[in-house]
Amino acid sequence: DTAVSQTPKYLVTQMGNDKSIKCEQNLGHDTMYWYKQDSKKFLKIMFSYNNKELIINETVPNRFSPKSPDKAHLNLHINSLELGDSAVYFCASSPPRSWTQYFGPGTRLLVL
Amino acid sequence: GDSVTQMEGPVTLSEEAFLTINCTYTATGYPSLFWYVQYPGEGLQLLLKATKADDKGSNKGFEATYRKETTSFHLEKGSVQVSDSAVYFCALSFSNDYKLSFGAGTTVTVRA
């Protein structure tokens, strides 16, 4: 009965590879988000989708491409991984007309 | 742009000590204000929120009051426990915006 789930939980890969992180929420929320948390715990929004439509696209390299096949899923694909992409990536969702966001457990990405 | 500034950590306390984490914001208009908590190895959880001036949010013994005159939303707890060890994030959002802007986070460690 996990509310917001992410897979994988850990991801270790080589520079230059392409990888995807998946996110699913079973809360019936309309809006989903991707955040990046760096080693100093600083949290920054990357993307947001509302009803499968992209509504927030912060200054993120175009190697990062979100995809929302339906309201319950928001995946993050990363091309040509770089060392600086190492971080924890959090997915979140929120219901309509609410600022409360529900976070997944995070995906710890390490690029070697 | 809108921003949130939190006191720097880490903060280390003994059990039953009083905890205060300062948070101030810069914004055009009157945002809603939040405290999120991240326990070790987990995603963020909403701790409390306040949507207008003089509102007090409270949860799990934590409190914060929205002070428009000082643009602050300081988090307090009168008697902390070891289980309160976590990273605490102050955040703001506007009603016409899906985005949460987070502070840098404050790591709190409570020792028995």
Side-chain angles (χ1 to χ4, degrees), chain A residues 32-43:
Chain A
M32 296 184 72
Y33 310 80
W34 276 111
Y35 288 88
K36 179 180 180 181
Q37 185 175 47
D38 64 22
S39 59
K40 295 183 178 179
K41 301 291 187 184
F42 187 72
L43 201 65

Side-chain angles (χ1 to χ4, degrees), chain A residues 6-22:
Chain A
Q6 296 179 226
T7 54
K9 191 169 182 180
Y10 299 96
L11 185 54
V12 181
T13 188
Q14 300 288 329
M15 255 192 336
N17 284 350
D18 303 337
K19 290 294 179 185
S20 291
I21 307 172
K22 296 185 177 182

Side-chain angles (χ1 to χ4, degrees), chain A residues 46-87:
Chain A
M46 301 172 70
F47 302 104
S48 177
Y49 271 72
N50 181 254
N51 282 320
K52 296 172 36 179
E53 181 181 341
L54 182 66
I55 55 171
I56 294 175
N57 186 352
E58 293 293 291
T59 307
V60 175
N62 57 15
R63 298 182 294 104
F64 290 79
S65 52
K67 283 188 173 53
S68 181
D70 55 57
K71 267 178 33 171
H73 295 84
L74 180 60
N75 303 323
L76 183 65
H77 188 75
I78 315 170
N79 288 328
S80 303
L81 278 155
E82 300 178 357
L83 295 177
D85 297 333
S86 296

Side-chain angles (χ1 to χ4, degrees), chain A residues 37 41 55 90 99 101, chain B residues 34 36 38 89 94-95 98:
Chain A
Q37 185 175 47
K41 301 291 187 184
I55 55 171
F90 286 101
W99 302 280
Q101 295 187 16
Chain B
F34 306 82
Y36 278 79
Q38 183 180 23
F89 293 90
F94 286 94
S95 59
Y98 291 91

